Amino acid sequence: MTTVHWFRKGLRLHDNPALQAAVVDNFELRPVFVLDPWFVANARVGKNRWRFLAQTLNDLDATLKAIGSRLYVIRGKPEEVFPKLFEDWKVQKITWEVDTEPYARSRDEKVEKLARECGVKVVSLVGHTLYNTEKIIATNLGKTPLTYQSLQSLVAKMGPPPYPVPALSSLPTSCIIQPQAPSGSTYNLPSLSELGVDESELGPCLYPGGETEALARLNKYMERKSWVCKFEKPKTSPNSLQPSTTVLSPYLKFGCLSPRTMYHRLIEVYKGSNHTQPPVSLLGQLLWREFFYTVSATTPNFDQMEGNPVCRQIPWIRDEKKMKAWEFGQTGFPFIDAIMTQLRKEGWIHHLARHAVACFLTRGDLWQPWEDGMKVFEELLLDADWSLNAGNWMWLSASAFFHQYFRVYSPIAFGKQTDKHGDYIRKYLPQLKKFPDNYIYEPWKAPLSVQKAANCIIGQDYPRPIVDHDIARKTNLDRMSKAYAAGKNKKSSAGSGPPAKKSRK
């Protein structure tokens, strides 16, 4: 008889309550990861994130083997492969970590129903968030908190999140994989080729996937006590040549790192010291994550404008030319294009860099729907997380949560604040590297003689600006003002606004 632990997120052995629950009955433990070929072929996942997942699965398999187990990779749709697995493996129980995303909830309901029909006990436990999001909402008398401050007040009432459960560092003899257990290539880890990735197209791996790397990275930063205590997210640099933040977000996204482990490590570091506070502190970043997870868990159509009760209905105008220029770093604004180039190459960009390009695409300059930008981030980011991605795009487009739409990031001045010489631009847009400092953010203003000396003619070797920022900003501020006024007049019908229109250009 066997117990199956189904890994989805939560790809780790430390602080994994559902995995711990899998060994309490002393049945043989068979950890599985289900790889759906349809998902591989159709999902909005870029090559960097596929590589991160492949590395994570390899690391997970290695740590499982070290305690007498292994990772079984099952190919197919979960609702199709599990009934046969339940029968063939004589499964008594299946455990998994709670996932609050709508698709995941629907999938899990189907698998749970199938399991019960097969006489298999189901145990699902919270591990991907600090708190059980249902308990947060219950503490708020059944209402979803729609501001960060309200979430802070609620979790203050609830007290600290649970302490991490011990890592699964060994297995009872009865849980170890038995000699007669299935083996062979059928259950092998996926290669990059199977995931549709051409290795020759990959750049250097800056952020290796896996629990081992996640814990090493966490330890590295927790040892910098003064830096942790003084950390203020808005004061970090969006365009430093090396990350000015922890880059732990991909590890939290995949569950290589437990948020509760990080939370309690931060509390240990803070003890006896003056330290920054939420929302700007490192602990505050975990609460932002919790906020968006909580809101998205109960908000219909959270990842789109229409039918989304928290999202303001704004008449964006789709323009494929503008969208492609932004997506592929061809807007003619070097700061914006450098960020989008870094994103495509490396799979990660700083939080404030995300602010700059999201504002530019939507309310700042190009007036494109936030959903379209969200989809590009969903493909390219290592840390693309359904709840956080949608929530942040609504925030930055001033569609929800943030309403000071008149605060617009300049695609020129903002980058200069932390990189006046343009070293970041020179790194990611080498065609501009010979421009003098006074033209690096606005190369179109350089005299032709300067452009020739830099071996880069604007309009030929690098595009002219796709819009005039000052004109676009004024036009879009007027549009936002009208959209907000219309929203006030139609408050009773929020969520039934018009779809994005296609440009006739």
Side-chain angles (χ1 to χ4, degrees):
M1 295 188 291
T2 62
T3 293
V4 165
H5 176 71
W6 181 14
F7 280 104
R8 300 96 65 84
K9 297 173 186 174
L11 300 174
R12 63 179 185 271
L13 269 59
H14 76 276
D15 187 34
N16 194 328
L19 179 60
Q20 289 282 0
V23 301
V24 297
D25 298 316
N26 290 315
F27 296 141
E28 181 182 336
L29 172 65
R30 292 190 186 168
V32 305
F33 181 88
V34 180
L35 186 66
D36 185 343
W38 182 91
F39 181 83
V40 172
N42 295 280
R44 210 175 273 118
V45 179
K47 57 180 182 277
N48 285 312
R49 194 154 84 251
W50 279 130
R51 173 170 64 180
F52 191 97
L53 174 62
Q55 293 169 336
T56 297
L57 295 179
N58 271 278
D59 183 70
L60 180 60
D61 185 50
T63 54
L64 285 168
K65 284 177 176 174
I67 60 171
S69 190
R70 62 159 291 183
L71 183 65
Y72 289 92
V73 177
I74 313 294
R75 274 86 177 164
K77 293 184 181 300
E79 57 268 35
E80 293 175 2
V81 299
F82 273 124
K84 186 174 188 307
L85 214 62
F86 294 152
E87 182 179 352
D88 292 349
W89 287 5
K90 296 182 175 59
V91 178
Q92 303 300 303
K93 182 168 76 172
I94 181 169
T95 66
W96 65 66
E97 181 181 77
V98 170
D99 193 330
T100 59
E101 293 181 20
Y103 162 78
R105 289 203 305 268
S106 173
R107 173 202 63 198
D108 293 351
E109 286 170 4
K110 292 175 186 175
V111 174
E112 182 168 0
K113 183 174 182 291
L114 290 167
R116 298 197 188 285
E117 289 172 355
C118 295
V120 176
K121 182 181 179 182
V122 176
V123 176
S124 59
L125 297 171
V126 173
H128 196 62
T129 49
L130 295 173
Y131 300 86
N132 182 333
T133 57
E134 292 180 358
K135 288 186 178 179
I136 293 176
I137 293 167
T139 303
N140 200 36
L141 304 178
K143 296 179 181 179
T144 302
L146 295 179
T147 67
Y148 183 86
Q149 291 75 17
S150 60
L151 178 110
Q152 272 189 287
S153 298
L154 290 168
V155 299
K157 288 180 186 176
M158 296 171 69
Y163 280 95
V165 300
L168 190 65
S169 56
S170 63
L171 285 175
T173 304
S174 59
C175 295
I176 290 172
I177 296 286
Q178 301 302 308
Q180 67 271 26
S183 59
S185 60
T186 305
Y187 304 108
N188 280 0
L189 301 174
S191 64
L192 286 175
S193 176
E194 183 181 355
L195 298 174
V197 177
D198 182 346
E199 290 191 58
S200 67
E201 295 179 355
L202 289 167
C205 181
L206 302 180
Y207 314 109
E211 178 182 22
T212 303
E213 178 67 21
L215 292 174
R217 196 170 191 91
L218 178 68
N219 290 336
K220 169 187 168 184
Y221 283 98
M222 293 305 102
E223 288 171 0
R224 298 172 59 185
K225 182 169 182 173
S226 176
W227 182 85
V228 169
C229 289
K230 293 176 182 177
F231 182 92
E232 291 184 67
K233 194 66 171 278
K235 292 185 178 179
T236 55
S237 171
N239 47 4
S240 53
L241 298 186
Q242 295 298 322
S244 59
T245 55
T246 64
V247 196
L248 285 169
S249 53
Y251 302 94
L252 289 164
K253 177 263 186 306
F254 280 96
C256 304
L257 175 63
S258 151
R260 293 173 181 175
T261 295
M262 182 174 176
Y263 180 99
H264 287 287
R265 287 291 300 276
L266 283 169
I267 295 300
E268 288 175 15
V269 173
Y270 288 158
K271 276 181 184 175
S273 302
N274 292 324
H275 58 86
T276 53
Q277 298 291 335
V280 299
S281 64
L282 276 175
L283 192 138
Q285 307 316 301
L286 288 176
L287 293 181
W288 277 116
R289 180 178 184 270
E290 202 76 6
F291 170 65
F292 285 125
Y293 264 94
T294 303
V295 179
S296 68
T298 58
T299 302
N301 305 306
F302 189 70
D303 61 347
Q304 61 190 58
M305 182 175 78
E306 288 188 80
N308 181 344
V310 303
C311 184
R312 194 174 294 274
Q313 305 298 299
I314 297 173
W316 310 107
I317 302 173
R318 281 196 169 94
D319 184 317
E320 188 175 348
K321 180 182 175 184
K322 289 179 178 177
M323 188 67 209
K324 289 296 181 186
W326 176 85
E327 181 179 355
F328 291 95
Q330 294 290 311
T331 68
F333 289 90
F335 179 56
I336 300 298
D337 294 342
I339 293 169
M340 295 305 293
T341 301
Q342 181 189 16
L343 173 59
R344 186 166 292 276
K345 283 185 174 180
E346 300 175 4
W348 182 87
I349 50 176
H350 186 279
H351 183 68
L352 293 176
R354 302 179 198 205
H355 283 212
V357 296
C359 179
F360 182 87
L361 180 70
T362 57
R363 61 188 171 86
D365 291 80
L366 302 188
W367 200 249
Q368 297 303 291
W370 63 264
E371 298 110 310
D372 294 358
M374 176 193 71
K375 289 171 184 174
V376 172
F377 273 26
E378 183 183 344
E379 175 189 350
L380 299 179
L381 280 169
L382 289 173
D383 58 23
D385 186 306
W386 184 80
S387 300
L388 277 66
N389 196 21
N392 276 305
W393 273 96
M394 280 189 275
W395 182 293
L396 293 166
S397 63
S399 296
F401 312 117
F402 173 81
H403 307 294
Q404 295 175 345
Y405 61 82
F406 45 85
R407 291 177 58 185
V408 175
Y409 289 91
S410 166
I412 300 162
F414 184 57
K416 289 181 179 179
Q417 294 175 12
T418 47
D419 180 25
K420 64 180 181 180
H421 299 298
D423 293 335
Y424 176 81
I425 291 170
R426 298 177 205 281
K427 177 179 179 179
Y428 291 103
L429 301 178
Q431 65 269 44
L432 298 176
K433 65 183 179 183
K434 293 183 180 179
F435 272 83
D437 290 359
N438 56 324
Y439 292 119
I440 191 68
Y441 282 88
E442 302 172 278
W444 62 89
K445 290 186 175 179
L448 184 59
S449 59
V450 172
Q451 295 180 35
K452 286 181 177 179
N455 200 29
C456 180
I457 305 300
I458 302 305
Q460 297 178 23
D461 305 306
Y462 180 73
R464 296 184 183 280
I466 194 168
V467 293
D468 181 308
H469 171 64
D470 291 332
I471 293 174
R473 177 180 174 277
K474 289 175 183 176
T475 300
N476 293 345
L477 282 173
D478 182 58
R479 286 167 162 169
M480 289 297 288
S481 177
K482 289 176 180 176
Y484 267 56
K488 287 179 182 178
N489 294 334
K490 298 179 181 178
K491 214 168 187 181
S492 61
S493 59
S496 57
K501 300 173 185 176
K502 288 190 176 180
S503 170
R504 293 184 180 178
K505 290 182 181 178

